[in-house]
Amino acid sequence: MFYQSTRGSERAADTAAVLRGIAPDGGLYVEAELGERPFDWRGCLSLPPLGMAEKILGHLLPGYADMGALVERAYAGKFESEELTPLVKVGEDYVLELFHGPTAAFKDVALSMLPQLITAGRAQEGVKDKIVILTATSGDTGKAALEGFHDVEGTGILVFFPADGVSPVQRAQMVTQSGANVKVCAVRGNFDDCQSGVKQAFAAIDRSGALEGKGRRLSSANSINIGRLAPQVVYYFIAYAELIRRGAIREGEPVDYVVPTGNFGDILAGYFARLMGLSVGRLVCASNANRILTDFLTTGVYDRRREFFKTTSPSMDILVSSNLERLLFLATDGDTARVAGWMRALSEEGVYRVDAGTLERIRAVFAAGCCDEAQSCETIGRTWRECGYLCDPHTAVALHVAREYKQQRGAGTPLVVLSTASPYKFPAAVLRAVGGELHGDEFEQMETLAALSGVPVPKGLRGLKERPVLHGDVIDREEILDYVLRQIDVL
Ligand SMILES: *Cc1c(COP(=O)(O)O)cnc(C)c1O
């Protein structure tokens, strides 16, 4: 079994694909045979969550010698709930809460596992260099990556965040991060400045060979890495098994999943679960006001030449959804020339159109809907009033789309809505939506929200304001490269 590039004949074993992140030809690593390789999905459903993770990850990444130990190290005792991702009944539907990890973000599910895969892969491939993760973050990924990688042997992590672009809670989560191998730095500007600065630093270091002989190599923690995608397949099975246990379905009956989508990683993991045999009915892609995926799944035209909206669900404010490329590969039976052509058109002209056959194959599984800011606010308020359930703005986008989807589809197939963030990560937006009083800073607003709802503040967000600030550096975008080169020896 091997992974191959979506854009050409490049191939790699799973361990090597995880260490590299992106294929040398610019494509993403994907397994063409996933739908054909037999997997005992039924046997998987009776296992506890960590057992399920071991089985599923062992199937997706069979080159790792002891997946059970890696899973144990990644998750045991680190999540607030034994179930890992609890399923909650809300009205007639189910919400799968993915945010009970150490940083109260759904990114924890994948970023708890990735460091284990990188260290084990490094050992198995005989790599002596320290792997240094370089990340630009708009908030959630940075903290989840710091939490995953701090004090992990053989790795270091350097996180850049936009000085003007993260919430006070997100900033506090990052600048208070302890660990001997971590460094966090603010960059003057917005997320795009930060991200382009980091990309340029990657390219400049690659070109100049500046790390040669230093015993360091760079890697990235974003969701193009197959090692970040694979762990997300697991909770589709966890939810399905839980529905059987509660008598809501019988084994083999379909379940629809509604997924709040940005980079298309989370929902693609659901497609992988389907290819592995799980009875996933439709995968419903929920977008916020940046509705590029809704348009694509409706028309077959992917056009990023459009206005970009800053919304209250910032993790979904994305115009280039990288992981869609993997779906295009699978939907064309691995036609790398066609996929490479579309991706070239996207980068050169900002737009591509897929053929009718490809669109039809995609639409046989994927549905789509979107939700604007007013609808998201209304959904948070209504869900609270009618169901007594408090949700964050990302989850609200999915709940709104789920409602519309059910109106078209009719009753029947059970619906699981994926919930990607704790409401406490976005206290102002949530308070406003439920009619609470807005005063003080975000930390105070968290307390107001807790008093109003009776839902406790997640452990990872408590006492943040009192924790000592360990990272105070602020630099300009142009200084990122120098900063990396200065810090990399001491990490
Ligand atoms: C990252 C993120 C998403 C989007 O997930 P993708 O895999 O990028 O589609 C949605 N909600 C939250 C809170 C996130 O952090």
PDB file of all heavy atoms in Angstrom, residues 2 4 28-29 31 60 63 88 92-93 130 157 166 195 221 225 235 238 281 296 330 342 360 376 388-389 421 461 470:
ATOM      1  N   PHE A   2       0.525   2.240  -0.802  1.00  0.00           N
ATOM      2  CA  PHE A   2       1.328   3.459  -0.822  1.00  0.00           C
ATOM      3  C   PHE A   2       0.419   4.662  -1.073  1.00  0.00           C
ATOM      4  O   PHE A   2      -0.716   4.509  -1.527  1.00  0.00           O
ATOM      5  CB  PHE A   2       2.401   3.376  -1.912  1.00  0.00           C
ATOM      6  CG  PHE A   2       1.823   3.144  -3.278  1.00  0.00           C
ATOM      7  CD1 PHE A   2       1.421   4.228  -4.064  1.00  0.00           C
ATOM      8  CD2 PHE A   2       1.637   1.862  -3.785  1.00  0.00           C
ATOM      9  CE1 PHE A   2       0.847   4.032  -5.312  1.00  0.00           C
ATOM     10  CE2 PHE A   2       1.068   1.653  -5.034  1.00  0.00           C
ATOM     11  CZ  PHE A   2       0.675   2.733  -5.796  1.00  0.00           C
ATOM     12  N   GLN A   4      -0.018   8.289  -3.125  1.00  0.00           N
ATOM     13  CA  GLN A   4       0.508   8.894  -4.340  1.00  0.00           C
ATOM     14  C   GLN A   4       0.032  10.331  -4.458  1.00  0.00           C
ATOM     15  O   GLN A   4      -0.938  10.733  -3.821  1.00  0.00           O
ATOM     16  CB  GLN A   4       0.081   8.082  -5.539  1.00  0.00           C
ATOM     17  CG  GLN A   4      -1.351   8.293  -5.954  1.00  0.00           C
ATOM     18  CD  GLN A   4      -1.468   8.121  -7.460  1.00  0.00           C
ATOM     19  OE1 GLN A   4      -1.594   7.008  -7.935  1.00  0.00           O
ATOM     20  NE2 GLN A   4      -1.401   9.247  -8.168  1.00  0.00           N
ATOM     21  N   LEU A  28      -1.134  16.600  -3.315  1.00  0.00           N
ATOM     22  CA  LEU A  28      -1.395  16.067  -1.976  1.00  0.00           C
ATOM     23  C   LEU A  28      -1.361  14.549  -2.019  1.00  0.00           C
ATOM     24  O   LEU A  28      -1.753  13.942  -3.016  1.00  0.00           O
ATOM     25  CB  LEU A  28      -2.770  16.528  -1.491  1.00  0.00           C
ATOM     26  CG  LEU A  28      -3.053  18.020  -1.542  1.00  0.00           C
ATOM     27  CD1 LEU A  28      -4.405  18.328  -0.891  1.00  0.00           C
ATOM     28  CD2 LEU A  28      -1.956  18.811  -0.862  1.00  0.00           C
ATOM     29  N   TYR A  29      -0.905  13.945  -0.938  1.00  0.00           N
ATOM     30  CA  TYR A  29      -0.849  12.485  -0.898  1.00  0.00           C
ATOM     31  C   TYR A  29      -2.237  11.885  -0.671  1.00  0.00           C
ATOM     32  O   TYR A  29      -2.993  12.343   0.184  1.00  0.00           O
ATOM     33  CB  TYR A  29       0.092  12.017   0.209  1.00  0.00           C
ATOM     34  CG  TYR A  29       1.546  12.181  -0.155  1.00  0.00           C
ATOM     35  CD1 TYR A  29       2.362  13.074   0.528  1.00  0.00           C
ATOM     36  CD2 TYR A  29       2.091  11.446  -1.202  1.00  0.00           C
ATOM     37  CE1 TYR A  29       3.702  13.224   0.190  1.00  0.00           C
ATOM     38  CE2 TYR A  29       3.431  11.593  -1.551  1.00  0.00           C
ATOM     39  CZ  TYR A  29       4.224  12.481  -0.849  1.00  0.00           C
ATOM     40  OH  TYR A  29       5.537  12.624  -1.198  1.00  0.00           O
ATOM     41  N   GLU A  31      -4.570   7.873  -1.166  1.00  0.00           N
ATOM     42  CA  GLU A  31      -4.504   6.463  -1.510  1.00  0.00           C
ATOM     43  C   GLU A  31      -5.587   6.148  -2.537  1.00  0.00           C
ATOM     44  O   GLU A  31      -6.788   6.251  -2.245  1.00  0.00           O
ATOM     45  CB  GLU A  31      -4.710   5.594  -0.260  1.00  0.00           C
ATOM     46  CG  GLU A  31      -4.482   4.117  -0.575  1.00  0.00           C
ATOM     47  CD  GLU A  31      -5.113   3.170   0.422  1.00  0.00           C
ATOM     48  OE1 GLU A  31      -5.563   3.605   1.487  1.00  0.00           O
ATOM     49  OE2 GLU A  31      -5.158   1.965   0.095  1.00  0.00           O
ATOM     50  N   LEU A  60      -5.505   2.884   7.627  1.00  0.00           N
ATOM     51  CA  LEU A  60      -5.144   4.008   6.760  1.00  0.00           C
ATOM     52  C   LEU A  60      -3.639   4.213   6.677  1.00  0.00           C
ATOM     53  O   LEU A  60      -3.118   4.682   5.663  1.00  0.00           O
ATOM     54  CB  LEU A  60      -5.798   5.300   7.281  1.00  0.00           C
ATOM     55  CG  LEU A  60      -7.310   5.401   7.104  1.00  0.00           C
ATOM     56  CD1 LEU A  60      -7.879   6.529   7.955  1.00  0.00           C
ATOM     57  CD2 LEU A  60      -7.651   5.624   5.625  1.00  0.00           C
ATOM     58  N   GLY A  63       1.870   1.272   7.757  1.00  0.00           N
ATOM     59  CA  GLY A  63       3.322   1.160   7.901  1.00  0.00           C
ATOM     60  C   GLY A  63       3.821   1.404   9.318  1.00  0.00           C
ATOM     61  O   GLY A  63       4.979   1.136   9.627  1.00  0.00           O
ATOM     62  N   VAL A  88     -24.552  14.092  21.212  1.00  0.00           N
ATOM     63  CA  VAL A  88     -25.603  14.697  22.032  1.00  0.00           C
ATOM     64  C   VAL A  88     -26.859  14.838  21.186  1.00  0.00           C
ATOM     65  O   VAL A  88     -26.804  15.299  20.048  1.00  0.00           O
ATOM     66  CB  VAL A  88     -25.159  16.103  22.511  1.00  0.00           C
ATOM     67  CG1 VAL A  88     -26.225  16.736  23.398  1.00  0.00           C
ATOM     68  CG2 VAL A  88     -23.839  16.033  23.242  1.00  0.00           C
ATOM     69  N   GLU A  92     -34.475  16.693  17.115  1.00  0.00           N
ATOM     70  CA  GLU A  92     -34.593  15.351  16.510  1.00  0.00           C
ATOM     71  C   GLU A  92     -33.251  14.818  16.030  1.00  0.00           C
ATOM     72  O   GLU A  92     -33.146  13.672  15.608  1.00  0.00           O
ATOM     73  CB  GLU A  92     -35.479  15.434  15.243  1.00  0.00           C
ATOM     74  CG  GLU A  92     -36.889  15.848  15.497  1.00  0.00           C
ATOM     75  CD  GLU A  92     -37.558  16.260  14.190  1.00  0.00           C
ATOM     76  OE1 GLU A  92     -36.922  16.162  13.109  1.00  0.00           O
ATOM     77  OE2 GLU A  92     -38.708  16.669  14.242  1.00  0.00           O
ATOM     78  N   ASP A  93     -32.246  15.671  16.013  1.00  0.00           N
ATOM     79  CA  ASP A  93     -30.970  15.292  15.410  1.00  0.00           C
ATOM     80  C   ASP A  93     -29.882  15.091  16.462  1.00  0.00           C
ATOM     81  O   ASP A  93     -30.133  15.220  17.647  1.00  0.00           O
ATOM     82  CB  ASP A  93     -30.547  16.372  14.413  1.00  0.00           C
ATOM     83  CG  ASP A  93     -31.625  16.616  13.370  1.00  0.00           C
ATOM     84  OD1 ASP A  93     -32.200  15.629  12.890  1.00  0.00           O
ATOM     85  OD2 ASP A  93     -31.911  17.791  13.084  1.00  0.00           O
ATOM     86  N   LYS A 130      16.059  16.821  13.756  1.00  0.00           N
ATOM     87  CA  LYS A 130      14.870  17.244  14.509  1.00  0.00           C
ATOM     88  C   LYS A 130      13.874  17.823  13.509  1.00  0.00           C
ATOM     89  O   LYS A 130      14.249  18.544  12.587  1.00  0.00           O
ATOM     90  CB  LYS A 130      15.291  18.303  15.525  1.00  0.00           C
ATOM     91  CG  LYS A 130      14.174  18.739  16.430  1.00  0.00           C
ATOM     92  CD  LYS A 130      14.670  19.787  17.430  1.00  0.00           C
ATOM     93  CE  LYS A 130      14.803  19.176  18.815  1.00  0.00           C
ATOM     94  NZ  LYS A 130      14.951  20.177  19.879  1.00  0.00           N
ATOM     95  N   ILE A 157       8.564  23.427  17.627  1.00  0.00           N
ATOM     96  CA  ILE A 157       7.453  24.104  16.949  1.00  0.00           C
ATOM     97  C   ILE A 157       7.550  25.625  17.100  1.00  0.00           C
ATOM     98  O   ILE A 157       7.865  26.139  18.175  1.00  0.00           O
ATOM     99  CB  ILE A 157       6.084  23.573  17.430  1.00  0.00           C
ATOM    100  CG1 ILE A 157       4.962  24.378  16.772  1.00  0.00           C
ATOM    101  CG2 ILE A 157       5.952  23.589  18.941  1.00  0.00           C
ATOM    102  CD1 ILE A 157       3.608  23.724  16.820  1.00  0.00           C
ATOM    103  N   VAL A 166      -6.259  37.622  15.971  1.00  0.00           N
ATOM    104  CA  VAL A 166      -6.797  36.544  16.804  1.00  0.00           C
ATOM    105  C   VAL A 166      -7.587  37.138  17.977  1.00  0.00           C
ATOM    106  O   VAL A 166      -7.378  38.290  18.353  1.00  0.00           O
ATOM    107  CB  VAL A 166      -5.692  35.602  17.347  1.00  0.00           C
ATOM    108  CG1 VAL A 166      -4.924  34.961  16.205  1.00  0.00           C
ATOM    109  CG2 VAL A 166      -4.744  36.346  18.267  1.00  0.00           C
ATOM    110  N   GLN A 195       0.609  34.348   6.975  1.00  0.00           N
ATOM    111  CA  GLN A 195       0.698  33.121   6.184  1.00  0.00           C
ATOM    112  C   GLN A 195       1.663  33.269   5.012  1.00  0.00           C
ATOM    113  O   GLN A 195       2.486  32.397   4.766  1.00  0.00           O
ATOM    114  CB  GLN A 195      -0.700  32.769   5.673  1.00  0.00           C
ATOM    115  CG  GLN A 195      -0.697  31.708   4.605  1.00  0.00           C
ATOM    116  CD  GLN A 195      -1.799  30.697   4.831  1.00  0.00           C
ATOM    117  OE1 GLN A 195      -1.702  29.857   5.728  1.00  0.00           O
ATOM    118  NE2 GLN A 195      -2.838  30.791   4.060  1.00  0.00           N
ATOM    119  N   ALA A 221       2.100  21.704   9.943  1.00  0.00           N
ATOM    120  CA  ALA A 221       1.050  20.993  10.690  1.00  0.00           C
ATOM    121  C   ALA A 221      -0.316  21.247  10.089  1.00  0.00           C
ATOM    122  O   ALA A 221      -1.324  20.983  10.710  1.00  0.00           O
ATOM    123  CB  ALA A 221       1.071  21.434  12.149  1.00  0.00           C
ATOM    124  N   ASN A 225      -1.548  17.571   5.324  1.00  0.00           N
ATOM    125  CA  ASN A 225      -0.800  16.379   5.740  1.00  0.00           C
ATOM    126  C   ASN A 225      -1.766  15.216   5.974  1.00  0.00           C
ATOM    127  O   ASN A 225      -2.722  15.338   6.729  1.00  0.00           O
ATOM    128  CB  ASN A 225      -0.013  16.692   7.008  1.00  0.00           C
ATOM    129  CG  ASN A 225       1.022  15.634   7.314  1.00  0.00           C
ATOM    130  OD1 ASN A 225       0.765  14.429   7.177  1.00  0.00           O
ATOM    131  ND2 ASN A 225       2.201  16.065   7.694  1.00  0.00           N
ATOM    132  N   TYR A 235     -13.982   9.623  14.152  1.00  0.00           N
ATOM    133  CA  TYR A 235     -15.228  10.019  14.840  1.00  0.00           C
ATOM    134  C   TYR A 235     -16.482   9.786  14.001  1.00  0.00           C
ATOM    135  O   TYR A 235     -17.581   9.765  14.542  1.00  0.00           O
ATOM    136  CB  TYR A 235     -15.148  11.442  15.397  1.00  0.00           C
ATOM    137  CG  TYR A 235     -14.584  12.520  14.520  1.00  0.00           C
ATOM    138  CD1 TYR A 235     -15.282  12.977  13.425  1.00  0.00           C
ATOM    139  CD2 TYR A 235     -13.353  13.106  14.817  1.00  0.00           C
ATOM    140  CE1 TYR A 235     -14.770  14.000  12.640  1.00  0.00           C
ATOM    141  CE2 TYR A 235     -12.833  14.126  14.035  1.00  0.00           C
ATOM    142  CZ  TYR A 235     -13.544  14.581  12.942  1.00  0.00           C
ATOM    143  OH  TYR A 235     -13.038  15.577  12.163  1.00  0.00           O
ATOM    144  N   ILE A 238     -17.255   6.528  15.431  1.00  0.00           N
ATOM    145  CA  ILE A 238     -17.704   6.654  16.830  1.00  0.00           C
ATOM    146  C   ILE A 238     -19.177   7.053  16.868  1.00  0.00           C
ATOM    147  O   ILE A 238     -19.982   6.466  17.592  1.00  0.00           O
ATOM    148  CB  ILE A 238     -16.836   7.686  17.596  1.00  0.00           C
ATOM    149  CG1 ILE A 238     -15.399   7.157  17.760  1.00  0.00           C
ATOM    150  CG2 ILE A 238     -17.447   8.013  18.961  1.00  0.00           C
ATOM    151  CD1 ILE A 238     -14.449   8.080  18.523  1.00  0.00           C
ATOM    152  N   GLY A 281     -24.557   8.067   4.478  1.00  0.00           N
ATOM    153  CA  GLY A 281     -25.505   8.401   3.408  1.00  0.00           C
ATOM    154  C   GLY A 281     -24.974   9.581   2.613  1.00  0.00           C
ATOM    155  O   GLY A 281     -24.106   9.445   1.774  1.00  0.00           O
ATOM    156  N   PHE A 296     -19.537  25.668  -5.817  1.00  0.00           N
ATOM    157  CA  PHE A 296     -18.874  24.614  -6.587  1.00  0.00           C
ATOM    158  C   PHE A 296     -19.723  23.342  -6.649  1.00  0.00           C
ATOM    159  O   PHE A 296     -19.924  22.751  -7.716  1.00  0.00           O
ATOM    160  CB  PHE A 296     -17.500  24.284  -5.994  1.00  0.00           C
ATOM    161  CG  PHE A 296     -16.884  23.056  -6.607  1.00  0.00           C
ATOM    162  CD1 PHE A 296     -16.397  23.092  -7.902  1.00  0.00           C
ATOM    163  CD2 PHE A 296     -16.835  21.851  -5.921  1.00  0.00           C
ATOM    164  CE1 PHE A 296     -15.867  21.956  -8.499  1.00  0.00           C
ATOM    165  CE2 PHE A 296     -16.313  20.709  -6.508  1.00  0.00           C
ATOM    166  CZ  PHE A 296     -15.828  20.762  -7.795  1.00  0.00           C
ATOM    167  N   LEU A 330     -10.059  11.382  -6.482  1.00  0.00           N
ATOM    168  CA  LEU A 330     -10.835  10.151  -6.298  1.00  0.00           C
ATOM    169  C   LEU A 330     -12.036  10.096  -7.250  1.00  0.00           C
ATOM    170  O   LEU A 330     -12.377   9.038  -7.774  1.00  0.00           O
ATOM    171  CB  LEU A 330     -11.293  10.027  -4.840  1.00  0.00           C
ATOM    172  CG  LEU A 330     -10.146   9.834  -3.828  1.00  0.00           C
ATOM    173  CD1 LEU A 330     -10.631  10.061  -2.396  1.00  0.00           C
ATOM    174  CD2 LEU A 330      -9.520   8.441  -3.962  1.00  0.00           C
ATOM    175  N   TRP A 342      -6.644  21.471 -13.394  1.00  0.00           N
ATOM    176  CA  TRP A 342      -7.590  22.315 -12.632  1.00  0.00           C
ATOM    177  C   TRP A 342      -6.847  23.167 -11.615  1.00  0.00           C
ATOM    178  O   TRP A 342      -7.135  24.344 -11.429  1.00  0.00           O
ATOM    179  CB  TRP A 342      -8.641  21.430 -11.932  1.00  0.00           C
ATOM    180  CG  TRP A 342      -9.611  20.793 -12.882  1.00  0.00           C
ATOM    181  CD1 TRP A 342     -10.053  21.325 -14.065  1.00  0.00           C
ATOM    182  CD2 TRP A 342     -10.261  19.517 -12.742  1.00  0.00           C
ATOM    183  NE1 TRP A 342     -10.942  20.449 -14.662  1.00  0.00           N
ATOM    184  CE2 TRP A 342     -11.092  19.348 -13.867  1.00  0.00           C
ATOM    185  CE3 TRP A 342     -10.226  18.515 -11.765  1.00  0.00           C
ATOM    186  CZ2 TRP A 342     -11.879  18.204 -14.058  1.00  0.00           C
ATOM    187  CZ3 TRP A 342     -11.009  17.379 -11.950  1.00  0.00           C
ATOM    188  CH2 TRP A 342     -11.828  17.218 -13.094  1.00  0.00           C
ATOM    189  N   GLU A 360     -21.284  15.033 -11.315  1.00  0.00           N
ATOM    190  CA  GLU A 360     -22.358  14.096 -10.997  1.00  0.00           C
ATOM    191  C   GLU A 360     -21.905  13.062  -9.970  1.00  0.00           C
ATOM    192  O   GLU A 360     -22.629  12.734  -9.031  1.00  0.00           O
ATOM    193  CB  GLU A 360     -22.782  13.412 -12.294  1.00  0.00           C
ATOM    194  CG  GLU A 360     -24.144  12.783 -12.259  1.00  0.00           C
ATOM    195  CD  GLU A 360     -24.482  12.213 -13.636  1.00  0.00           C
ATOM    196  OE1 GLU A 360     -24.353  12.954 -14.640  1.00  0.00           O
ATOM    197  OE2 GLU A 360     -24.809  11.023 -13.692  1.00  0.00           O
ATOM    198  N   SER A 376     -26.853  32.557  11.149  1.00  0.00           N
ATOM    199  CA  SER A 376     -26.038  31.885  12.149  1.00  0.00           C
ATOM    200  C   SER A 376     -26.414  32.377  13.551  1.00  0.00           C
ATOM    201  O   SER A 376     -26.608  31.586  14.483  1.00  0.00           O
ATOM    202  CB  SER A 376     -24.557  32.128  11.830  1.00  0.00           C
ATOM    203  OG  SER A 376     -23.782  32.086  12.978  1.00  0.00           O
ATOM    204  N   GLY A 388     -32.445  24.053  24.445  1.00  0.00           N
ATOM    205  CA  GLY A 388     -31.574  24.201  25.610  1.00  0.00           C
ATOM    206  C   GLY A 388     -30.135  23.822  25.305  1.00  0.00           C
ATOM    207  O   GLY A 388     -29.396  23.397  26.187  1.00  0.00           O
ATOM    208  N   TYR A 389     -29.738  23.986  24.046  1.00  0.00           N
ATOM    209  CA  TYR A 389     -28.376  23.591  23.659  1.00  0.00           C
ATOM    210  C   TYR A 389     -27.616  24.813  23.160  1.00  0.00           C
ATOM    211  O   TYR A 389     -28.069  25.543  22.272  1.00  0.00           O
ATOM    212  CB  TYR A 389     -28.427  22.523  22.557  1.00  0.00           C
ATOM    213  CG  TYR A 389     -27.053  21.994  22.191  1.00  0.00           C
ATOM    214  CD1 TYR A 389     -26.401  21.074  23.018  1.00  0.00           C
ATOM    215  CD2 TYR A 389     -26.402  22.428  21.033  1.00  0.00           C
ATOM    216  CE1 TYR A 389     -25.143  20.599  22.705  1.00  0.00           C
ATOM    217  CE2 TYR A 389     -25.138  21.955  20.712  1.00  0.00           C
ATOM    218  CZ  TYR A 389     -24.509  21.040  21.553  1.00  0.00           C
ATOM    219  OH  TYR A 389     -23.261  20.577  21.235  1.00  0.00           O
ATOM    220  N   ALA A 421     -16.407  23.596  17.592  1.00  0.00           N
ATOM    221  CA  ALA A 421     -15.792  24.459  18.610  1.00  0.00           C
ATOM    222  C   ALA A 421     -16.711  24.612  19.812  1.00  0.00           C
ATOM    223  O   ALA A 421     -17.933  24.562  19.693  1.00  0.00           O
ATOM    224  CB  ALA A 421     -15.471  25.831  18.033  1.00  0.00           C
ATOM    225  N   LEU A 461      -9.742  26.388  28.984  1.00  0.00           N
ATOM    226  CA  LEU A 461      -9.979  27.830  28.870  1.00  0.00           C
ATOM    227  C   LEU A 461     -10.092  28.515  30.231  1.00  0.00           C
ATOM    228  O   LEU A 461     -10.184  29.730  30.309  1.00  0.00           O
ATOM    229  CB  LEU A 461     -11.265  28.087  28.069  1.00  0.00           C
ATOM    230  CG  LEU A 461     -11.313  27.549  26.639  1.00  0.00           C
ATOM    231  CD1 LEU A 461     -12.660  27.852  25.998  1.00  0.00           C
ATOM    232  CD2 LEU A 461     -10.191  28.138  25.797  1.00  0.00           C
ATOM    233  N   LEU A 470       4.503  33.914  28.395  1.00  0.00           N
ATOM    234  CA  LEU A 470       5.858  33.408  28.180  1.00  0.00           C
ATOM    235  C   LEU A 470       6.434  33.837  26.833  1.00  0.00           C
ATOM    236  O   LEU A 470       7.613  33.658  26.568  1.00  0.00           O
ATOM    237  CB  LEU A 470       5.860  31.867  28.264  1.00  0.00           C
ATOM    238  CG  LEU A 470       5.316  31.274  29.563  1.00  0.00           C
ATOM    239  CD1 LEU A 470       5.218  29.757  29.471  1.00  0.00           C
ATOM    240  CD2 LEU A 470       6.219  31.664  30.732  1.00  0.00           C
TER     241      LEU A 470
END
